[in-house]
Amino acid sequence: MDLVRAPYKRTRVLATQGEEMEQHIVTPGDVITQNLDFMKSHGTALNQENICATVAGAVYKVDKLVSVKGVNNRYRGEIGDVLVGRVTEVQQKKWKVDCGSRLDSQLQLTSVYLPGNVLRRKTLNDELMMREYFTEGDLVVAEVADVSNIDGMLKLHMRSNKYGKLPEGVLIKVPSVLIKRSKLHFHRLPCNATVILGNNGYVWVGPHFSPDQPIEPLTMTSRETIARLCNVIRALAAYGVQLFDTIILTAYDISMKYKVKELLNAEVMEHVAQESYEHSLHQNL
Amino acid sequence: MTSIRLSAAEQKYIIESAECDFRSDGRTCEDYRQIEIETRNLPNTNGSSRCKIGKTEVLVGVKAEVVDVDIHAPTQGRLNISVDCSATASPEFAGRGSETIEQEILSVLNLLYSSIDALNLEDLCIVKGESCWLLNIDVLYIQCGGNLFDAASIALKAALHSTTMPNVSVSGEGIEMELEISDDPYHVWKLKTSMCPICITLYQIGESFAADVSEEEEECSTGYVHVGVLSSGEVSAMEKSGAGNMEPDALLEMIEAAVRIGEHIHQQLDKNLQAECTTATL
């Protein structure tokens, strides 16, 4: 691969995966249908007897329900979402966490388990020691407990020992629309790495870890695995492929014929994304 | 140089990766990301280029105008470089937020081109003691993804290589001297860019150093060195910046690495620029 080259013309691998039948790409104001029998869902509005799109994205028609799913939205949380965030502020009795939505989320001191899986009433001493648990800059994984009606601010909780501070690893930010909603977000992959696909589009890749246990020093093989997974996830995200554990593993296997650093090249990224997508389509059929 | 907050764990991972010579994206400490270069993309300029390294994207435009000669250098033309970090590159750059980084990039580019040998300024003189060409060079960052200095220097060399200068015919003498600038797009001459330097910036991360760092790696670094390297492998300029000490041995190693990397990039860049020239004339 040449170091210096002319710009690469990226081709489309696919638009966002949709479970529904036809998909049209619309921009705000485009008329979707003039048939008023359809029920209007997100991203649509009634305008002079036409159903029009209000956001830029793909049209989804399920039976009589029409909606437009925008692609470039900020993450809007829902109760039960698992997300990866970065602590931005330590305030009185709560932390503020950045998770890529319009407002920083709130993590109350009362909503966390203390180290050692202890759930007890937090004392004044705990309040003073908040920075010992999470300080500014820390990466945390938590679940959405509540969404405020007024401004959409998320309230997070860590009421399980699988949530908490993340150890050594890499954070990758992808558009939140690419994270497929699934029951599992923590994926302990067979290649000795863990991938956490946060619903907010923040993906964490790192070694296997258990809560409250220090991880062993990383070997070269684990660094290679983590780097390869990172590059593969970035390649899939660059071509708009929805991310879930099986497609990441497929892309990882497809990428094995390249060196890890070759996965940064535009042609290789396209090849990996294209093959993984086709492979996943065959598996589904 | 947007500020990214990293956790202690992430910093440890990045620093140890650099020390093992296997960074978080699989590159070694001396590997560059693929450099995309395109010239003559801005039609209103004498020369232009676009350089993309990873996420960093920079545009350079060169416009020539005839001005009075500087009395301290009556046989030379002039360069006027200006740097602009667009707010689209980062929200931090809105308003006056980009001033510090713009000044830094500008001072490095001026350092590289301060030598008379870099771009033969005597070629830009029209009438000795009277008129010369002033090259207004504008560097615009559209996206920032680390390694801003190197991208600008590579784009600058490419833009100067693509610059076409119109011919000037001089008639008359003294006060009645008239300069006629030719409009003929085929009757042009090109600047000699064989001595144009490229800046290779090496960041000290932990106990080792890395080239072409991402923004996260920049955050974990303690000090960096800009080395201006010519295509012949000679070092034309050097500047150490950032807060952090460097061992003299480490500094020498960094310069040697910069020369290796710089020679390779010059070779590849010249090959690409030549290829673009031949396709343009076909």
Side-chain angles (χ1 to χ4, degrees), chain A residues 98-116:
Chain A
D98 157 48
C99 32
S101 70
R102 286 205 303 273
L103 293 169
D104 281 350
S105 314
Q106 222 177 31
L107 176 64
Q108 299 276 9
L109 178 59
T110 48
S111 320
V112 306
Y113 277 8
L114 294 168

Side-chain angles (χ1 to χ4, degrees), chain A residues 244-257:
Chain A
F244 46 96
D245 54 347
T246 38
I247 203 170
I248 293 174
L249 275 174
T250 313
Y252 181 83
D253 291 328
I254 292 169
S255 78
M256 285 308 266
K257 66 181 192 202

Side-chain angles (χ1 to χ4, degrees), chain A residues 69-276:
Chain A
K69 194 169 164 192
V71 180
N72 219 13
N73 305 338
R74 274 205 177 260
Y75 168 65
R76 254 173 55 208
E78 282 171 38
I79 298 179
D81 278 356
V82 171
L83 43 83
V84 175
R86 197 185 285 285
V87 175
T88 52
E89 278 178 56
V90 180
Q91 293 181 354
Q92 202 171 31
K93 289 201 231 183
K94 65 175 185 269
W95 292 274
K96 284 289 202 172
V97 179
D98 157 48
C99 32
S101 70
R102 286 205 303 273
L103 293 169
D104 281 350
S105 314
Q106 222 177 31
L107 176 64
Q108 299 276 9
L109 178 59
T110 48
S111 320
V112 306
Y113 277 8
L114 294 168
N117 215 19
V118 171
L119 182 64
R120 58 173 170 76
R121 205 190 175 91
K122 308 293 190 300
T123 62
L124 189 61
N125 219 22
D126 293 315
E127 231 182 282
L128 294 171
M129 290 204 359
M130 276 177 77
R131 263 205 182 78
E132 309 276 318
Y133 306 138
F134 308 121
T135 181
E136 288 92 341
D138 278 346
L139 278 181
V140 296
V141 56
E143 195 178 307
V144 177
D146 195 18
V147 182
S148 158
N149 287 332
I150 314 159
D151 48 15
M153 187 173 70
L154 305 172
K155 293 211 180 83
L156 309 175
H157 79 84
M158 292 183 180
R159 294 230 166 90
S160 165
N161 61 352
K162 59 182 182 181
Y163 301 128
K165 189 154 65 171
L166 289 170
E168 282 180 56
V170 183
L171 179 75
I172 307 169
K173 293 186 188 173
V174 306
S176 60
V177 75
L178 293 180
I179 306 288
K180 194 170 172 175
R181 279 228 147 78
S182 77
K183 289 195 209 103
L184 276 179
H185 292 274
F186 291 71
H187 303 289
R188 286 175 76 96
L189 300 178
C191 46
N192 275 334
T194 303
V195 174
I196 302 178
L197 296 168
N199 283 111
N200 58 336
Y202 285 20
V203 176
W204 184 85
V205 183
H208 284 323
F209 67 98
S210 326
D212 296 338
Q213 267 177 29
I215 46 169
E216 289 134 24
L218 293 172
T219 58
M220 269 308 270
T221 27
S222 28
R223 277 187 204 278
E224 271 191 52
T225 318
I226 294 171
R228 190 177 283 278
L229 279 169
C230 284
N231 287 349
V232 143
I233 291 172
R234 285 194 191 110
L236 292 171
Y239 285 90
V241 180
Q242 275 219 317
L243 295 173
F244 46 96
D245 54 347
T246 38
I247 203 170
I248 293 174
L249 275 174
T250 313
Y252 181 83
D253 291 328
I254 292 169
S255 78
M256 285 308 266
K257 66 181 192 202
Y258 300 104
K259 281 194 254 187
V260 182
K261 62 183 177 188
E262 286 175 353
L263 292 168
L264 295 170
N265 296 337
E267 291 107 335
V268 177
M269 278 171 78
E270 186 176 328
H271 175 237
V272 168
Q274 183 79 57
E275 262 200 52
S276 317

Side-chain angles (χ1 to χ4, degrees), chain B residues 134-268:
Chain B
L134 167 67
L135 293 180
N136 286 309
I137 301 175
D138 295 295
V139 179
L140 173 67
Y141 287 90
I142 322 175
Q143 262 200 309
C144 287
N147 205 19
L148 303 177
F149 303 93
D150 301 14
S153 68
I154 293 171
L156 185 38
K157 180 177 175 185
L160 288 170
H161 182 94
S162 74
T163 303
T164 51
M165 303 291 291
N167 279 296
V168 182
S169 47
V170 185
S171 53
E173 264 187 32
I175 309 170
E176 290 152 40
M177 180 147 53
E178 267 184 40
L179 300 171
E180 201 187 304
I181 304 172
S182 159
D183 275 337
D184 192 347
Y186 298 105
H187 199 219
V188 292
W189 56 280
K190 304 263 285 192
L191 299 167
K192 284 207 261 313
T193 56
S194 53
M195 295 283 278
C196 282
I198 279 182
C199 169
I200 307 290
T201 312
L202 293 158
Y203 285 74
Q204 182 163 274
I205 302 177
E207 298 272 319
S208 71
F209 58 86
D212 190 19
V213 297
S214 61
E215 289 177 307
E216 290 84 12
E217 288 169 330
E218 221 174 277
E219 196 63 25
C220 306
S221 68
T222 52
Y224 48 98
V225 178
H226 302 296
V227 183
V229 182
L230 302 177
S231 53
S232 55
E234 291 167 280
V235 173
S236 71
M238 205 199 81
E239 185 180 334
K240 185 242 168 230
S241 298
N245 304 329
M246 277 177 202
E247 298 280 317
D249 294 334
L251 195 54
L252 284 173
E253 269 184 48
M254 283 161 102
I255 297 174
E256 280 168 24
V259 166
R260 271 198 299 274
I261 300 168
E263 275 186 306
H264 183 49
I265 294 182
H266 268 294
Q267 197 193 47
Q268 295 268 312

